């Protein structure tokens, strides 16, 4: 019995590796799978056929002939499953519906201030169900809802242990899902963003989530590091200016007090685009504020580089804007770090405001693939 169980586990692991490879590559062939994963052709054929029977994989034409039989193009069946990503913040929620490959089918974003009250959770369930059920998309094969939250999440206890930004402690995660009739999975907002922005990187990478709050995550040796108490990557609460501005966490001089998006907009959520329009127009005040912002961010980036000697990705709301100002920013980083003259280790994220919602959804996709 034990031998049969081991053989079954090996087969399942092979199938999962093949499924993940196709998901990541978008298109491949049986021959490429065998070469890339080191499997025999019979193993590849058997597992691919199972994935086709399950509806996860499909054949989409043929590659050009190289002298023998034309190889079949293998890809993921976009209509097989869908997944929802839900990003909950202090003042808003963002909802996305994605197909199994990660393509966004629809999205919505609106003001919905968080309150730890029954009415909030009831309305949250209504909004989620209305979003899923509206439109022409086929949601019968919905895997579930991935939920991103700003705070320390303890999955094995089903608890939002602490969220300074939401001003709650020890909130059961069941409150968020009690009116959502779909399977759900939770993670910290920065972890979700990091998962989609840097998962799969070949090098160790630190991710800065620069949104209405500042968070972070560390990707090392092929996985996200959560820390012993699920508190790893709280870059926003590193003190960069001792005795400085008061952070919402109660400490003084935290990075969040200087590099949260709201510091650029005087605390008004929807004015970020206007700030950068003013900056592009040469507004003197905007330039002074932005220069100070980049200086503080440069201190934090330099500190993380010194601590981990890793690549750094700047994401979140601000990450997309920093890309246009990388030259002055990296000049500032060099001022604080004379060990690295080459700053190519610093890049910006791809998904910007959508990263946490997409990452939460992708966590569910990954969980589903692990179940194949």
């Amino acid at each position: 019995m034990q031998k049969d169980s081991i053989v079954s586990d090996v087969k399942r692991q092979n199938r999962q590796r093949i499924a993940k490879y196709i998901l990541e590559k978008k298109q491949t062939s049986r021959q490429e799978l065998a070469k890339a994963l080191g499997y025999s052709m019979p193993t590849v054929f058997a597992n691919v056929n199972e994935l086709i029977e399950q509806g996860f994989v499909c054949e989409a034409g043929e590659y050009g002939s190289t002298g023998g039989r034309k190889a079949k193009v293998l890809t993921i069946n976009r209509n097989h499953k869908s997944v929802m990503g839900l990003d909950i913040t202090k003042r808003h929620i963002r909802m996305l519906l994605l197909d199994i490959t990660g393509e966004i089918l629809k999205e919505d974003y609106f003001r919905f201030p968080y309150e730890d009250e029954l009415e909030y959770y009831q309305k949250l369930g209504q909004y989620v169900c209305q979003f899923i059920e509206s439109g022409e998309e086929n949601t019968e094969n919905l895997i579930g809802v991935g939920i991103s939250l700003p705070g320390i999440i303890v999955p094995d206890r089903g608890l939002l242990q602490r969220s300074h930004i939401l001003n709650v402690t020890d909130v059961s995660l069941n409150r968020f899902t009690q009116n959502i009739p779909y399977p759900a999975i939770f993670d910290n907002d920065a972890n979700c963003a990091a998962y989609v922005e840097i998962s799969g990187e070949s090098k160790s990478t630190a991710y800065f989530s620069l949104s209405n709050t500042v968070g972070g995550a560390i990707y090392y040796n092929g996985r996200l590091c959560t820390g012993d108490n699920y508190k790893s990557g709280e870059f926003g609460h590193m003190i960069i200016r001792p005795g400085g501005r008061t952070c919402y966490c109660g400490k003084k001089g935290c990075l969040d007090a200087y590099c949260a998006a709201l510091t650029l907009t005087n605390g008004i959520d929807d004015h970020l685009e206007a700030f950068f329009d003013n900056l592009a127009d040469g507004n003197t005040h905007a330039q002074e504020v932005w220069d100070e912002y980049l200086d503080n961010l440069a201190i934090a980036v330099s500190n993380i580089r010194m601590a981990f000697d890793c690549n750094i990705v700047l994401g979140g709301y601000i990450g997309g804007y920093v890309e246009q100002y990388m030259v002055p920013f990296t000049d500032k980083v060099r001022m604080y770090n004379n060990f690295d003259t080459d700053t190519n280790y610093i890049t910006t994220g791809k998904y910007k405001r959508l990263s946490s919602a997409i990452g939460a959804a992708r966590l569910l996709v990954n969980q589903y693939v692990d179940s194949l």
Side-chain angles (χ1 to χ4, degrees):
M1 291 292 291
Q2 185 176 4
K3 183 178 179 181
D4 291 341
S5 177
I6 292 173
V7 171
S8 178
D9 286 344
V10 170
K11 287 182 177 179
R12 184 169 60 253
Q13 290 169 10
N14 291 344
R15 187 162 58 251
Q16 291 167 359
R17 285 191 70 200
I18 289 172
K20 288 179 180 179
Y21 186 88
I22 301 172
L23 190 61
E24 180 180 347
K25 294 286 289 184
K26 307 297 183 186
Q27 288 189 346
T28 187
S29 66
R30 292 174 174 83
Q31 291 78 1
E32 182 183 339
L33 282 167
K35 183 177 180 180
L37 302 179
Y39 292 153
S40 68
M41 287 303 293
T43 295
V44 169
F45 267 90
N47 283 282
V48 167
N49 287 343
E50 282 195 38
L51 292 171
I52 290 175
E53 289 175 7
Q54 293 173 9
F56 184 75
V57 171
C58 61
E59 293 181 344
E62 299 177 334
Y63 287 101
S65 176
T66 57
R69 295 178 61 182
K70 293 182 179 180
K72 300 288 187 181
V73 177
L74 300 175
T75 189
I76 303 299
N77 178 9
R78 292 182 178 276
N79 298 320
H80 176 61
K81 296 286 182 181
S82 61
V83 63
M84 179 181 172
L86 172 63
D87 181 25
I88 295 174
T89 71
K90 183 178 181 178
R91 298 180 179 89
H92 299 87
I93 61 172
R94 184 182 300 278
M95 301 183 290
L96 303 174
L97 185 70
L98 294 81
D99 67 25
I100 193 72
T101 70
E103 181 178 337
I104 297 175
L105 302 175
K106 62 180 178 179
E107 61 180 283
D108 199 1
Y109 173 77
F110 54 90
R111 187 172 181 83
F112 184 44
Y114 174 78
E115 295 180 6
D116 185 24
E117 301 290 344
L118 179 62
E119 184 180 2
Y120 174 89
Y121 300 114
Q122 289 175 336
K123 286 186 177 180
L124 180 67
Q126 292 171 9
Y127 287 141
V128 169
C129 291
Q130 288 170 4
F131 177 75
I132 290 173
E133 294 164 9
S134 66
E136 299 178 356
E137 296 83 10
N138 181 5
T139 57
E140 293 180 0
N141 293 322
L142 184 77
I143 296 172
V145 182
I147 303 176
S148 160
L149 289 170
I152 299 167
I153 294 173
V154 186
D156 53 358
R157 294 176 58 195
L159 204 64
L160 175 59
Q161 186 180 68
R162 183 74 176 103
S163 175
H164 288 288
I165 195 67
L166 299 182
N167 194 30
V168 292
T169 302
D170 292 338
V171 174
S172 171
L173 297 177
N174 288 335
R175 294 189 193 181
F176 294 91
T177 58
Q178 60 189 344
N179 298 293
I180 299 176
Y182 302 96
I185 188 172
F186 293 84
D187 207 340
N188 167 269
D189 54 355
N191 285 347
C192 289
Y195 179 76
V196 70
E197 293 283 15
I198 65 179
S199 183
E201 289 282 343
S202 58
K203 295 183 178 180
S204 297
T205 306
Y207 176 79
F208 279 77
S209 177
L210 304 170
S211 294
N212 285 342
T213 58
V214 177
I218 300 167
Y219 188 79
Y220 176 75
N221 199 24
R223 61 183 299 178
L224 287 173
C225 300
T226 58
D228 292 341
N229 298 293
Y230 304 100
K231 298 177 183 178
S232 175
E234 289 287 352
F235 301 154
H237 300 292
M238 299 186 301
I239 293 177
I240 60 164
R241 302 287 184 184
R245 298 175 187 168
T246 301
C247 177
Y248 68 83
C249 75
K251 297 193 300 180
K252 291 184 179 294
C254 289
L255 177 65
D256 196 289
Y258 293 88
C259 287
L262 296 178
T263 63
L264 301 176
T265 61
N266 294 320
I268 302 174
D269 285 353
D270 302 321
H271 286 194
L272 194 60
E273 187 174 342
F275 171 83
F276 282 101
D277 286 343
N278 288 335
L279 183 63
D281 290 341
N283 180 281
T284 302
H285 176 68
Q287 289 177 337
E288 291 173 354
V289 171
W290 183 236
D291 185 70
E292 181 185 5
Y293 182 99
L294 292 182
D295 195 63
N296 289 310
L297 182 59
I299 293 172
V301 166
S302 177
N303 287 343
I304 296 300
R305 176 69 174 181
M306 288 291 94
F308 295 101
D309 187 29
C310 64
N311 288 343
I312 291 173
V313 175
L314 307 176
Y317 299 172
I318 303 296
Y321 291 102
V322 173
E323 188 173 11
Q324 304 170 54
Y325 301 92
M326 283 298 280
V327 172
F329 175 65
T330 53
D331 285 345
K332 289 178 178 293
V333 172
R334 291 189 190 94
M335 289 172 51
Y336 296 110
N337 176 7
N338 58 9
F339 290 87
D340 295 301
T341 57
D342 184 353
T343 55
N344 287 334
Y345 63 88
I346 305 172
T347 58
T348 57
K350 303 173 184 176
Y351 298 100
K352 303 176 179 64
R353 292 175 180 267
L354 305 181
S355 56
S356 292
I358 293 175
R362 289 285 296 274
L363 287 172
L364 258 178
V365 172
N366 192 56
Q367 186 182 76
Y368 173 75
V369 172
D370 285 341
S371 73
L372 290 173

